[in-house]
Structure formats: C-alpha cells, structure tokens
Amino acid sequence: MTKISFNEMKNTVKQAFLNAGLHEKQADICAQIHTETSCDGIFSHGLNRVARFVDYVNKGWVDINAAPERVKSLASLEIYDGHRGIGITNALFATERAVELAKQYGVGIVGMRNTTHWMRGGTYGWKAAQQGYAAVCWTNTESCMPAWGAKNTRLGNNPFVMAVPLHEGAMVLDMAMSQYAYGKLQVTRLKGEKLPFPGGYDKEGNLTDEPGPN
Amino acid sequence: MTKISFNEMKNTVKQAFLNAGLHEKQADICAQIHTETSCDGIFSHGLNRVARFVDYVNKGWVDINAAPERVKSLASLEIYDGHRGIGITNALFATERAVELAKQYGVGIVGMRNTTHWMRGGTYGWKAAQQGYAAVCWTNTESCMPAWGAKNTRLGNNPFVMAVPLHEGAMVLDMAMSQYAYGKLQVTRLKGEKLPFPGGYDKEGNLTDEPGPN
C-alpha cells in the first residue's frame, strides 16, 4: 500500500480545483475538507467526490463565482440565496453566520436556498462545535427514497447532523435518512462487495443487498 | 346519548379542580383545556385524565402552589425549573415565554425541568400558531418503549409537536414515538376493544394487538 501525506494529497486536490477555475482560497478550503473527510475514513464523501465536483463545475452546474446573498433577516434567523455556488463554501458561510447570530442572540438559524452539494454534513457540525456551539444541520436531496410501504421514490435521504461540544473534542451525529447514504452504496459497489444488510428493494420489490447504481 | 354543553362540562371539571385546591385562574385554564381536548375528539388526554390529575394533586405529586422559576438565561434561550407545578400551566407559561423571546430575537427556546404531565402536547403548538409563530415542542416521558429489537423498555414515547400558522387556522402535528400513545391504549382498553394494528409485544415477545395495562 502506498502512503501519501496529508499535504501531498491536499495539494494535489487543490491543484485540480485551481485547474477547474476556483480561486486560491476556495480551492484551499475545498481541498482541505475533501482530504480531511477521506483521512477520517469517510471515503464516500472525500476524495472520490473530487472528480464529480470538477465535472459539475465544468458543466456549469456549480457557479464558482457566486456568493451567498441575504434575502431575509428576522433577527436571529436569516435566509440566504446560495446562487448555486460551491456547496462547501456556502455551507461554511451559513455555519459561521449561524455562530455569529448565536453569539448575539443565544441561538442562530440560517437557511439557504439554491446551494449545491455540501459533501460531508458532519463537517459543519464540527465547525460549530469547535467554537463551543451545539448545532443541528440538515439539507434536502433528490427524491431517492420511497415513503414507508411505497414503491416509488418521493422522499430525499436528507442528511441530518447534530453536534455538541465537549470539554475535549465534540460529539457529532451525521446520518442519512436511508439505510445507507448514496456515497456508501458507491463505495461498496466500487469494492465489488454486497451491503452488510439489505439497503433497499429491487425492481421486483424484494429486499436486496445489491449496492445498485445511483 | 346525553349531550352536555361545553360550558356545563367545563364548569363541572373546574369545580373538581377547585375542590382539589387549585386557585380560580388555574382551575379555569386547566378545565378549559381538558374540555377542549375532549371536544376535539382526543379522548385520551381530556376528561379521562381529570380524575388522575386530581389523584396526583391529592398525593402531592403535583404542587399546585409552585410557579416556574428561571434558572438560566442565554438571550433567546431560557431554562426554567417547573418545581413540579401543574403541567398545563407550566407548559402554557413556557409557550408564552418562547413567543415573547421570538418577538424579541426572531427565535425563542424555552426548556423546563421538573414539570408534570402537560396533557395534550398539541395544545401548545396551537397556542403558538394562533399568535402567528411556528413551534416545535416535546417532552420526555417514562421509559416505556424498547429500543429497536430490544426486549426491555428503556426509551420514552416522548410526544413530539410541530405547528405552523396558516392564513386561517394552523397545521399541527402531535404524535407519540410509540405505535400508540398511552392514552390511546387506555381508551381502547376501556372500550373493551383490540388495537387496529399490533402496538407492542406480549410477555413471550410476540406482537400483540391487546391494549395492555399501563
């Protein structure tokens, strides 16, 4: 097994993002988070998302020049339009803004529409907890889950995050609403393995442990 | 079937509460809410809880002279000690206080320890929604549910309430975490009926539709 240092990996990813047109600071932040996520063992949302992110930038699905714009302010609650900017930097902005509001009001709530994939949701829980704030974070996804007992997919497997700061470190829950996150299906499929427990239904409506294509 | 007017029922319940020693205003508020709940068809948390509430007052489990005391204030977030006061008036106090905080800060969060049964949780969602505020409310209960796949009861069937004001009226979700609320088991048992679907396990660990005693 070849070992690669954190900095070598981060710099490689950063260069890929610079090549895709991201500004220096954006590329640095995004490379840091993709690399940290893989180092934490969350392979589903780290390095293996780099190529897809670059693809989405090239297709114009992510606007690397967009910045979040505040569209509503209700004291401790603010709503932003993410203008389809980079999911990671948009979500970090929202987290920082929520922390600022919490400093001022005790609680801060930030909603953001029109943003793109934030990669690992737990990232934003840790960011808040590292500053001493408890956080609840979530986002919507495509409709990829059936409602209970249904056959067609009408619900998102919307990730849900809860983070609580401890004296040392933090306690962070980061979960999908589905049996497995999309990324976990991909990781299992890439390994050529079966899921440890059935994760959904096949076309005949039977439970299956096959990590189907997304 | 004998029909009884709202006021006759409310005054009867109020008199029972006055007899139990409640002050005029407490008795009036509690009688109003027990009666409204039964009129809304939620028999599990209305009139059939009156006798038990009076019993708890007589046993000293509910302290009718207690008032909520603020023990922590963090701007939009406040924590109270309910001093084992009347669940309904404690929960109404917390709701009103959360609305006041929301008026000031955009969001208001109120936690209360040492309180007693709040009867129908939805009551407090409606109270907030009638004033134009969205609300999320919950409370803990005794450990009466098994964790998934377990045999012993370690989790509460903690009721959960979400309320959203509409142009006319409100949309209110009021649910237990269990298949059936305790009160629903009681109502079904009192009718001598079976549950429409299995609601838990018997002593042999088999699913059962028997509304067992609480």
Side-chain angles (χ1 to χ4, degrees):
Chain A
M1 183 190 276
T2 308
K3 286 210 176 185
I4 298 168
S5 75
F6 184 96
N7 283 335
E8 188 184 343
M9 181 53 75
K10 178 186 162 181
N11 288 334
T12 306
V13 174
K14 182 174 172 179
Q15 191 55 54
F17 290 159
L18 288 170
N19 294 348
L22 272 69
H23 313 163
E24 162 71 23
K25 196 178 165 191
Q26 288 173 335
D28 193 78
I29 291 170
C30 292
Q32 177 79 20
I33 285 175
H34 277 274
T35 309
E36 276 178 3
T37 301
S38 272
C39 283
D40 284 350
I42 312 299
F43 306 121
S44 56
H45 288 77
L47 299 180
N48 71 345
R49 292 288 178 128
V50 170
R52 190 190 296 182
F53 171 72
V54 169
D55 182 42
Y56 284 9
V57 171
N58 290 339
K59 283 175 171 159
W61 296 356
V62 176
D63 179 356
I64 58 175
N65 296 308
E69 178 195 7
R70 189 165 67 190
V71 291
K72 195 170 264 189
S73 175
L74 299 161
S76 58
L77 196 164
E78 292 184 346
I79 309 291
Y80 287 82
D81 190 320
H83 290 302
R84 301 231 149 248
I86 299 168
I88 286 178
T89 54
N90 269 355
L92 283 173
F93 173 89
T95 308
E96 289 308 312
R97 192 61 207 143
V99 167
E100 288 306 313
L101 290 171
K103 281 179 188 163
Q104 194 176 350
Y105 296 112
V107 176
I109 300 180
V110 172
M112 186 179 279
R113 61 176 77 136
N114 296 324
T115 187
T116 58
H117 200 307
W118 67 354
M119 302 303 151
R120 175 164 65 152
T123 300
Y124 313 102
W126 264 291
K127 286 286 173 193
Q130 279 159 1
Q131 296 174 68
Y133 290 82
V136 179
C137 320
W138 65 89
T139 183
N140 60 345
T141 69
E142 297 161 61
S143 301
C144 53
M145 283 201 315
W148 185 258
K151 288 189 172 178
N152 50 5
T153 53
R154 294 290 177 90
L155 302 175
N157 63 346
N158 309 342
F160 181 73
V161 176
M162 290 186 76
V164 180
L166 305 177
H167 287 295
E168 287 185 28
M171 186 164 61
V172 178
L173 167 76
D174 176 5
M175 62 182 281
M177 292 298 111
S178 52
Q179 183 85 348
Y180 300 99
Y182 255 132
K184 183 71 180 174
L185 294 179
Q186 185 193 33
V187 165
T188 310
R189 191 167 61 247
L190 289 173
K191 283 185 186 166
E193 293 180 357
K194 300 272 190 180
L195 297 167
F197 302 97
Y201 297 89
D202 64 16
K203 283 178 184 161
E204 281 72 47
N206 302 309
L207 276 171
T208 177
D209 57 5
E210 194 70 48
N214 55 0
Chain B
M1 182 191 276
T2 308
K3 286 211 174 185
I4 298 168
S5 75
F6 185 96
N7 284 336
E8 187 183 345
M9 181 53 74
K10 178 186 164 181
N11 289 334
T12 306
V13 173
K14 182 174 173 180
Q15 191 55 53
F17 289 159
L18 289 169
N19 294 348
L22 272 69
H23 313 164
E24 162 71 22
K25 195 178 164 191
Q26 288 173 335
D28 191 76
I29 291 170
C30 293
Q32 176 80 21
I33 285 175
H34 278 273
T35 310
E36 276 178 4
T37 301
S38 272
C39 282
D40 285 349
I42 313 300
F43 306 121
S44 56
H45 288 77
L47 300 180
N48 71 344
R49 292 288 178 127
V50 169
R52 190 190 294 180
F53 171 72
V54 169
D55 182 43
Y56 284 9
V57 171
N58 290 337
K59 284 175 171 160
W61 295 355
V62 175
D63 179 356
I64 58 174
N65 296 307
E69 178 195 8
R70 189 166 65 189
V71 291
K72 193 170 265 188
S73 174
L74 299 161
S76 58
L77 196 164
E78 292 184 346
I79 310 291
Y80 287 82
D81 190 322
H83 290 302
R84 302 232 147 248
I86 299 168
I88 286 179
T89 54
N90 270 354
L92 283 173
F93 173 88
T95 308
E96 289 308 311
R97 192 62 205 141
V99 166
E100 287 306 313
L101 290 171
K103 280 179 189 164
Q104 194 176 350
Y105 296 112
V107 177
I109 301 180
V110 171
M112 186 179 280
R113 61 177 74 137
N114 296 325
T115 187
T116 58
H117 200 307
W118 68 355
M119 303 303 151
R120 175 165 65 153
T123 300
Y124 313 103
W126 265 290
K127 286 286 174 193
Q130 280 160 359
Q131 296 174 69
Y133 290 82
V136 179
C137 320
W138 66 89
T139 183
N140 59 346
T141 68
E142 297 161 60
S143 302
C144 52
M145 281 201 317
W148 185 256
K151 288 189 172 178
N152 50 8
T153 53
R154 292 291 176 88
L155 303 175
N157 63 347
N158 309 341
F160 180 73
V161 177
M162 289 186 77
V164 180
L166 305 178
H167 286 294
E168 286 185 29
M171 187 165 61
V172 178
L173 167 76
D174 176 6
M175 61 181 281
M177 293 297 112
S178 53
Q179 183 84 349
Y180 299 100
Y182 256 133
K184 182 72 181 175
L185 294 178
Q186 186 194 31
V187 165
T188 310
R189 190 167 64 247
L190 289 173
K191 283 186 187 167
E193 294 181 357
K194 300 273 191 179
L195 297 167
F197 301 98
Y201 298 89
D202 64 17
K203 283 178 182 159
E204 282 72 45
N206 302 309
L207 276 171
T208 176
D209 57 5
E210 193 71 47
N214 54 3

